Each structure stands twice: as structure tokens, then as C-alpha cells.
Amino acid sequence: MNAKTGNQRLGAVEVDMNAEGLVEVVLPGKVEPEGLRIRHGDVPAAGPGQVLIRMEATGVSFAEQQMRRGRYYDQPAFPFVPGYDLVGTVLATGEGVEPALAGTRVAALVKVGGWASHVLVDAADVVPVPDGIGAAEAETLVVNGITAWQMLHRKARVRAGQTILVHGAGGGVGSVLVQLAHAAGVKVIGTASARHHDALRDQDVTPIDYRTGHIAARVRELAPGGVDAVFDHVGGPGIVDSWRLLAPGGTLVSYGTASTRDDEGSKQWPVLKLLGRVWLWHALPNRRRAYFFNIWAGRALAKNRFRARLRTDLTQVFAALRRGDITVRIAARLPLTRAADALRLAESGTVTGKVVLIP
């Protein structure tokens, strides 16, 4: 780094890091999407062990929808830059990082900070994106793909010939779950609003309208002996039905509390209540298992193991995309400065696929 010019070495090329200024979206507090702010500044320099990534695609996930309401379980204090994941090109490497990483397209799971033109990430946390996969396509599979893969293969450990129930089968995680399950030879029953049913049938998913209130009865008609796994992001009272629908030896994977998104009061209590219920069910000697899936589990105690697992699983997801086992669904691509429109669109429930933000 040249302190006088603000330049940083990028391999053998000296790059003016401030030629493009930093642009980031700030969530100032509990606001409507229009309350998001655009902030400009200087591009930061990569510190020891870090890489500086020029963002090429980031996305709107359910986490940001919760965060703007102050409802995400462990979100930072306001104000902060949201953005759960991103894909981009490494512009510069810090001390202790292999310089050859510069120029590489990578993906990163960051929880916050992704809604920015330039992002600093620990080099150990980035995963290379294979050639032939575009930035926006890869972005749709970072948090959604890792979540789906780990729940399906590390928690439920599905096998060919089994039947599973996926709540929100037309959503970001649900749509990837459906495709990965089919690639594994698993039959899928999926809940979704009626407008998504034709698309689900085209994917050999048996759809159920979650608005009817008769989900449990319909699942029992389709799988009288119960299903082998249920993937539930809704939480709330309906989690009891998800548990009761399991066949002997089945697995419930709970991974959210979407039903409480618009509630007031404590953001921790719905999660803690759900955790207590899931842990109790798992402890019962009833030949069924229950888990609460947290994508960040294990990071604090075993960071290297967490990173290795994330890298392995996202690599598997990218490989599935290249094989054609899964396809990506991009609902819209909007400039970063239109983050408010992107968030409003994602929250509308009218689109299929992920809303992606680009520079």
C-alpha cells in the first residue's frame, strides 16, 4: 500500500483503490425499505489475512427482511450495512494472503456487509466460483445453496426412494432443496401459494396450498405412513404438525421463524421457544429426530472446521449447477443504489427466485 497515493499492489499491477469510490447501503434502524440510505466513501485497504472484493452480485434474503424490522436473532446494532452473501472479484490481497488470489472470482457468506461495492473479507472465508458460472447465478446459491445442501445431506441425510415435505417449496431455499432432493432420488411434497403450483408440478413436486389450512390432512393422504423429513422455515404453531407428520425414523429440520416476521416484542423469544421445543423432541425416545439448523453453528468453537465444511458444501452445490442437477432462478437484477426497490420486491411475495443486486 502506498500511503501517499492510496494505491495498493494487485499482483504485479498497481491499482488506484480510490478510482472507484465505495458505495454501500446502510440500514439506519427499523424502517420501511425506502428508509435505506446510500453512503459513499473511500475504498478500504485489505488488512492482514484479508482480501478486498469488488462486489459483482449480492442478494436479498429473508434475513434482510427480518433485519429491517429488528427481528433477526443476532443482528448487530443499528446502523449497519446489510447483505448476507456476495460474489465478486478479488481486487487486492492483504499481508499473509497468496497474491495470486487477486483477479479470482469468489463467493463469501458474511451475514452483514454484502450490500456494498467493495467488501473486506477474511481470505479463509472465500470460496472460488468455477469458470462458466456467472456472478448473479452463483450468488443465488451461496446462502440458499449451502443451507439446502447441509440440511438435506448433513442433517436429514436423505436417501433415494424417501419422501420429504418442503415448506415454501417455491422460495429461495425451498426451490434449491427441491432440486437437490430430486437429484438424490427423493420424492417431494411442497407447500406454496397456488400461483406457484404449476411450476412445482413441472418439477415433479406434489404441491399443497399453504393458505388452505389443511396441510397436515393433505400430507397424510399423500404419505399415510408419514414423510421421511420435513423442512420447516415457518416456525410458530405449525411446527407441531411438521413434527407429527414424520414417519418412524424421520427427521424434522427447522430453520426459521418466518411466521413471526411482522410481530412486535422480543426477537429472541420466538427462536428460544422453537429451540426448546426442537431439543425436547430430539431427546424423546420416539425414533424421530429434530434439529434447528443454523448455518453459522460451529464457527465460534471450530472456525477452521466450519470453513472447510462450508467450502466443501458450496463447491458441491456449484458442481450440481454445472451438471444441471439444479438451475437458478433470478427474479430481478437491480442496481445496488435501488436496494429499496429490491427489498420491496422480495417482500412482495409475487416473484419466483432471488432478487439480486448488482453494482
Side-chain angles (χ1 to χ4, degrees):
M1 180 78 177
N2 186 319
K4 293 183 178 179
T5 65
N7 292 359
Q8 188 166 354
R9 299 293 293 180
L10 195 168
V13 181
E14 190 172 79
V15 178
D16 182 354
M17 302 305 293
N18 291 317
E20 304 175 24
L22 172 68
V23 180
E24 54 188 1
V25 178
V26 178
L27 181 58
K30 296 181 183 179
V31 296
E32 293 300 308
E34 291 73 21
L36 293 170
R37 299 174 183 169
I38 304 299
R39 183 168 63 194
H40 299 266
D42 293 334
V43 175
Q50 292 183 323
V51 293
L52 174 67
I53 301 173
R54 180 195 282 128
M55 184 272 290
E56 296 176 42
T58 183
V60 183
S61 66
F62 188 71
E64 289 90 15
Q65 299 174 38
Q66 290 180 301
M67 287 177 184
R68 80 161 183 86
R69 295 168 168 84
R71 302 292 301 172
Y72 191 78
Y73 180 76
D74 62 348
Q75 69 186 73
F78 296 116
F80 63 91
V81 177
Y84 215 87
D85 56 8
L86 75 147
V87 170
T89 297
V90 175
L91 273 185
T93 59
E95 181 182 349
V97 179
E98 175 57 51
L101 194 58
T104 303
R105 174 175 282 168
V106 296
L109 188 70
V110 291
K111 189 182 291 187
V112 294
W115 288 8
S117 61
H118 300 77
V119 184
L120 292 175
V121 179
D122 286 348
D125 287 325
V126 303
V127 179
V129 176
D131 292 340
I133 299 178
E137 288 73 19
E139 202 289 324
T140 67
L141 294 174
V142 184
V143 62
N144 290 346
I146 294 168
T147 298
W149 182 275
Q150 292 186 347
M151 291 196 302
L152 198 70
H153 293 295
R154 292 190 180 272
K155 292 298 185 184
R157 300 186 179 184
V158 297
R159 302 184 304 276
Q162 291 185 326
T163 299
I164 65 173
L165 171 63
V166 176
H167 286 293
V173 174
S175 61
V176 183
L177 262 171
V178 165
Q179 296 178 85
L180 290 175
H182 279 146
V186 173
K187 299 177 182 178
V188 182
I189 301 168
T191 68
S193 59
R195 65 175 170 270
H196 296 309
H197 286 195
D198 286 344
L200 290 176
R201 290 189 187 97
D202 289 343
Q203 299 175 68
D204 293 325
V205 176
T206 303
I208 298 175
D209 189 347
Y210 69 84
R211 300 178 191 272
T212 64
H214 305 298
I215 295 174
R218 180 61 177 140
V219 172
R220 290 189 181 100
E221 290 177 6
L222 296 168
V227 294
D228 297 293
V230 179
F231 300 90
D232 189 316
H233 71 297
V234 182
I239 197 72
V240 177
D241 281 336
S242 291
W243 172 250
R244 291 173 176 169
L245 287 170
L246 290 176
T251 303
L252 167 65
V253 184
S254 171
Y255 66 105
T257 56
S259 64
T260 67
R261 187 192 71 173
D262 297 319
D263 290 356
E264 298 294 333
S266 171
K267 63 177 178 287
Q268 285 88 8
W269 175 239
V271 177
L272 293 173
K273 184 178 179 180
L274 182 59
L275 282 171
R277 178 172 273 165
V278 167
W279 286 339
L280 175 61
W281 285 337
H282 189 76
L284 294 174
N286 56 19
R287 298 175 58 202
R288 292 177 291 179
R289 299 171 296 167
Y291 299 101
F292 183 83
F293 177 81
N294 174 10
I295 197 171
W296 299 100
R299 180 179 172 84
L301 297 176
K303 186 175 289 187
N304 289 338
R305 184 184 304 171
F306 170 89
R307 286 165 163 165
R309 184 173 64 237
L310 185 147
R311 178 181 289 261
T312 296
D313 294 345
L314 185 53
T315 299
Q316 291 275 17
V317 172
F318 286 151
L321 176 63
R322 297 187 74 182
R323 287 194 303 269
D325 289 345
I326 55 177
T327 58
V328 299
R329 294 174 177 82
I330 299 173
R333 307 181 199 216
L334 295 172
L336 180 65
T337 51
R338 291 184 59 192
D341 293 334
L343 186 53
R344 182 69 74 188
L345 181 61
E347 292 186 4
S348 70
T350 61
V351 295
T352 299
K354 192 161 188 180
V355 178
V356 175
L357 292 168
I358 57 177

